[in-house]
Amino acid sequence: MKAITFAEFGDADVLELTDVPDPEVRPHDLLVRNRAAGLNRADLTHRRGGYGRANFGDSDLMGLEIAGEVIAMGSETQGFAIGDRVMGIVGGGGYAELARIDYRMAMHIPDGLDDVHAGALPEVFVTAWEALGHLGRLTSGESVLIHAAAGGVGSAAVQLAHALGARVLATADGSKREAILGFGADVAIDYKTEDFEAVVDSVTEGRGVDVIVDFVGAPYLARNIRSLNSGGRLVQVGILGGIEGAELPLDRLLYRHLQIMGTVMKSRPPAVKHAMTRRFADTWLPRFASHSLAPVIDSTFPLKNAADAHRRMESNQNIGKIMLTMA
């Protein structure tokens, strides 16, 4: 099969389309003919050598989410059949014509959802709901601040929080303000020209928000803590801004009874990943069948042009998901 590989770590130019062996089907696997695969920032880290030659359980190829058609099945799989259209999160291997996926990580693609949108759904929406619902315990009528709201997980989190009935504040580049509001945000904050802490303080009349979902890390930590309401929950999903120099206002943490939680998917044990997938699917998958929720697609690239897709992500110009497609 054709797949994207790289002989050495480096910039996007190291990516190339090569021939590699087809995946071997394990007892719990579905073998999927990929139609689309989503890009994630973890792929950039992988390409640059941040994980070494890592195998996250399924393959040492890049790619963490896929959509396509089941063409073979292991002896221990349940609930799926040859020819089913499926989507899901894989432990590597998405940047290829074929991929194996643990059937417990797979979801049936809702009728009417095309392959590109299906491939854009699993990683971002499962992660977003884990942060908002399972860890953040966000409920209708509460308020939430979502950082990096124009990205894949951020745009998914805005949609889910809005659908849940929460008041949504969201940060993004000012040029993406209208898009953020279109996803369902009530307040869009330009992180380049506005201090989100001051905006939160003004909008909430000093109370703060109930939940914050953050991808930035150290530069935002102190302001995030000061932006939380009593009993508030900060869910840390990424550290795009690094980990050095973080300041934690311990008095605020203590006297407002705040909670700080972290979440990451790719390095979690399989049973945890299975539970995360099921929590999302049981709660939200019917909403995609009715098209009341939909992944946000920024752009698509043929598999052979994966390097261009990586450059698009590195430019930080994208709104929503960048996708690879297979013939």
Side-chain angles (χ1 to χ4, degrees):
M1 69 174 182
K2 298 290 187 182
I4 295 295
T5 62
F6 52 94
E8 57 186 16
F9 301 122
D11 61 21
D13 291 337
V14 303
L15 300 181
E16 56 182 347
L17 188 68
T18 60
D19 290 301
V20 301
D22 293 355
E24 294 184 7
V25 180
R26 300 165 299 193
H28 55 271
D29 283 338
L30 306 175
L31 184 63
V32 177
R33 186 176 304 283
N34 289 341
R35 304 299 185 192
L39 266 68
N40 293 278
R41 289 201 173 271
D43 301 342
L44 306 185
T45 302
H46 191 169
R47 190 201 74 217
R48 295 167 183 156
Y51 306 131
R53 290 292 181 178
N55 184 315
F56 296 112
D58 294 317
S59 174
D60 58 7
L61 299 174
M62 282 189 295
L64 300 174
E65 59 188 334
I66 61 169
E69 178 184 352
V70 177
I71 60 172
M73 300 168 53
S75 59
E76 297 179 11
T77 58
Q78 302 176 29
F80 295 92
I82 301 296
D84 282 354
R85 297 177 65 232
V86 298
M87 58 189 179
I89 298 168
V90 292
Y95 287 24
E97 292 177 324
L98 302 175
R100 61 186 183 185
I101 180 172
D102 186 316
Y103 79 95
R104 293 159 292 191
M105 296 295 294
M107 297 174 280
H108 289 96
I109 297 176
D111 291 340
L113 192 66
D114 64 62
D115 293 326
V116 170
H117 282 82
L121 192 160
E123 178 78 17
V124 296
F125 276 94
V126 171
T127 301
W129 183 237
E130 188 71 8
L132 287 172
H134 184 61
L135 297 176
R137 306 186 305 282
L138 183 68
T139 60
S140 178
E142 289 191 315
S143 56
V144 59
L145 172 63
I146 298 168
H147 291 299
V153 180
S155 62
V158 171
Q159 289 189 67
L160 292 175
H162 174 74
L164 197 64
R167 187 183 194 190
V168 183
L169 291 74
T171 67
D173 186 293
S175 64
K176 302 174 182 179
R177 182 184 298 270
E178 292 305 314
I180 301 307
L181 295 172
F183 301 155
D186 298 288
V187 178
I189 304 168
D190 184 348
Y191 75 90
K192 291 184 176 179
T193 63
E194 298 178 277
D195 179 356
F196 73 79
E197 181 185 353
V199 175
V200 169
D201 186 70
S202 175
V203 169
T204 65
E205 299 179 340
R207 293 185 304 275
V209 295
D210 300 294
V211 176
I212 296 177
V213 177
D214 180 45
F215 306 86
V216 178
Y220 280 13
L221 179 59
R223 284 186 287 164
N224 280 336
I225 294 299
R226 292 193 297 264
S227 297
L228 282 169
N229 193 3
S230 294
R233 291 84 70 193
L234 167 62
V235 184
Q236 198 69 45
V237 183
I239 47 174
L240 295 174
I243 60 174
E244 299 297 330
E247 296 181 4
L248 179 61
L250 286 172
D251 55 341
R252 195 82 166 202
L253 181 71
L254 179 66
Y255 293 118
R256 286 211 168 189
H257 309 284
L258 306 180
Q259 299 177 56
I260 304 174
M261 293 158 280
T263 182
V264 66
M265 177 174 283
K266 60 183 175 294
S267 59
R268 303 294 290 278
V272 174
K273 295 180 183 180
H274 303 162
M276 292 168 69
T277 301
R278 293 276 67 81
R279 279 194 289 267
F280 165 76
D282 292 346
T283 306
W284 291 107
L285 209 53
R287 298 288 291 271
F288 292 88
S290 66
H291 303 287
S292 58
L293 289 172
V296 178
I297 304 298
D298 173 79
S299 51
T300 62
F301 295 83
L303 181 63
K304 65 180 181 180
N305 293 345
D308 292 332
H310 275 227
R311 294 187 191 99
R312 173 67 179 171
M313 179 168 280
E314 288 172 323
S315 76
N316 292 318
Q317 298 300 306
N318 62 296
I319 298 176
K321 291 289 291 188
I322 300 169
M323 301 297 298
L324 298 175
T325 57
M326 296 75 174

